Amino acid sequence: MTSPSRSPTRAPGRKSLTAGVIEALRAEILSGALTPGDKLPTEPALISRFGVSRTVIREAVAELRADRLVESRHGVGVFVLARPDPEPAGIPLPAFSKISDMIEELELRAAVEIEAAGLAAQRASPAQEAEIEDSHRRFAAQVRQRLASAEADYAFHIAIARATNNPRFEAFLSQLGRRTIPREQLRESLGAPPPAPDLARLESEHRKVAEAISRHDPATARAAMRAHLLGSADRYRSLARLAAAAERGEA
C-alpha cells in the first residue's frame, strides 16, 4: 500500500517544474513582453535561466505549442505566434490616466479574485497547488534578491485563476495582463516612477493566500485575497491623497 501512496507526491514534482516554466513564458507572451514573431531563448539559455532539465524545457515548449502560443521552425528555433483578436464581448479596458483608475481596477479584480481563491482552495489539483507554490517561491526569491518581481506576481495570480478549474477566471486575468501589477502601470501608463512598494508585505500576503489554498480552506483563502487586493487599493488611495496634497502645495 505504500507504493501507491508515494507516486502522487513524486509526480507533481516534475509537473510543478514544467508548470513553472510554462507559466513564466506564458505570462511574458500574454503580457506583451514577448511579441508575435519574437524568438524564444535557446534551449540551453532556458535551462540556465530556470535551472531545470532539458526534458522540462521541452515539455514546457510542447505545452505552449499545444496552446498555439508558439511554433517550432525546424533548424531555426521557437517563435511566438500572433494571438487572435479578443472577442468583441470582452470587457473594455480604458487606458490608465490617474491613480484612481488603478484603484477602480483593483476593486474589480477583488470581486473576481476573492472568489477565485476560494474556488482554488476547493478544487485545485496537487499539480495546480504546486504551481501556485512555485510561483509564490519565485516571487519571494525575487523580493529577497531585490530583482524585478512583476512577472512572478502576475504568474501567482494566474496560477490561482487556473486552479479554479473554471477557464473564465484565467481568461479574465489574461485579458487584464500586466495591468494587474499597479506599480508597473504607474511607470508605463502614467509616466511616473513607481512608489517604493512594501514588497515584503506583498510577499507575506501572497504566502497567506497560498497557504490557505494548500490547506483547502476556502474561507481563509478568500479573506487572505481580500486583504491583499483591497489592502493594495487602500495603499494607492493613500498615494493619491499624497499626490493631491503635493499639487495643492505647488499651487
Side-chain angles (χ1 to χ4, degrees):
M1 296 297 292
T2 56
S3 177
S5 65
R6 286 179 186 166
S7 59
T9 59
R10 280 200 305 265
R14 196 170 90 180
K15 286 183 181 179
S16 67
L17 291 175
T18 304
V21 176
I22 292 168
E23 198 49 58
L25 294 176
R26 188 196 304 271
E28 290 183 24
I29 293 169
L30 296 179
S31 69
L34 288 171
T35 59
D38 283 351
K39 183 179 177 181
L40 291 190
T42 63
E43 191 174 88
L46 291 172
I47 291 171
S48 175
R49 172 183 169 185
F50 292 104
V52 297
S53 68
R54 177 176 298 165
T55 299
V56 168
I57 294 299
R58 290 182 175 178
E59 288 176 351
V61 171
E63 182 71 21
L64 294 172
R65 276 202 309 268
D67 288 346
R68 300 298 300 155
L69 292 174
V70 301
E71 67 175 2
S72 297
R73 299 176 190 170
H74 184 67
V76 181
V78 180
F79 293 82
V80 177
L81 289 172
R83 299 287 293 157
D85 291 334
E87 293 293 327
I91 300 170
L93 298 172
F96 291 121
S97 62
K98 52 191 181 298
I99 295 174
S100 61
D101 293 338
M102 299 177 188
I103 296 168
E104 290 171 358
E105 200 150 295
L106 280 166
E107 291 175 346
L108 171 63
R109 284 180 55 204
V112 174
E113 291 193 69
I114 289 169
E115 183 60 19
L119 291 175
Q122 293 174 295
R123 301 174 178 175
S125 68
Q128 288 168 334
E129 289 176 21
E131 183 181 357
I132 292 168
E133 183 57 34
D134 280 355
S135 61
H136 171 251
R137 277 199 296 265
R138 283 202 309 279
F139 179 73
Q142 289 166 357
V143 168
R144 286 194 302 271
Q145 298 170 37
R146 300 181 183 275
L147 300 174
S149 57
E151 177 188 306
D153 194 340
Y154 177 61
F156 176 75
H157 288 273
I158 282 284
I160 292 171
R162 184 173 296 121
T164 66
N165 289 294
N166 177 339
R168 295 178 187 271
F169 282 92
E170 183 180 357
F172 172 77
L173 285 191
S174 295
Q175 186 180 358
L176 293 181
R178 290 289 286 274
R179 294 165 64 102
T180 60
I181 313 299
R183 62 185 181 275
E184 292 292 298
Q185 293 304 318
L186 278 178
R187 177 176 55 233
E188 296 174 8
S189 297
L190 305 185
D198 186 347
L199 291 177
R201 176 189 287 185
L202 294 180
E203 187 278 327
S204 175
E205 291 171 354
H206 279 200
R207 176 165 37 81
K208 289 174 182 176
V209 175
E211 288 174 348
I213 291 172
S214 179
R215 292 196 306 269
H216 307 289
D217 184 343
T220 302
R222 290 185 181 100
M225 185 63 83
R226 180 182 295 107
H228 174 47
L229 293 178
L230 297 185
S232 292
D234 286 341
R235 291 190 282 273
Y236 279 92
R237 286 190 186 93
S238 297
L239 182 64
R241 285 194 292 270
L242 289 173
E247 287 181 4
R248 288 194 299 271
E250 292 174 358

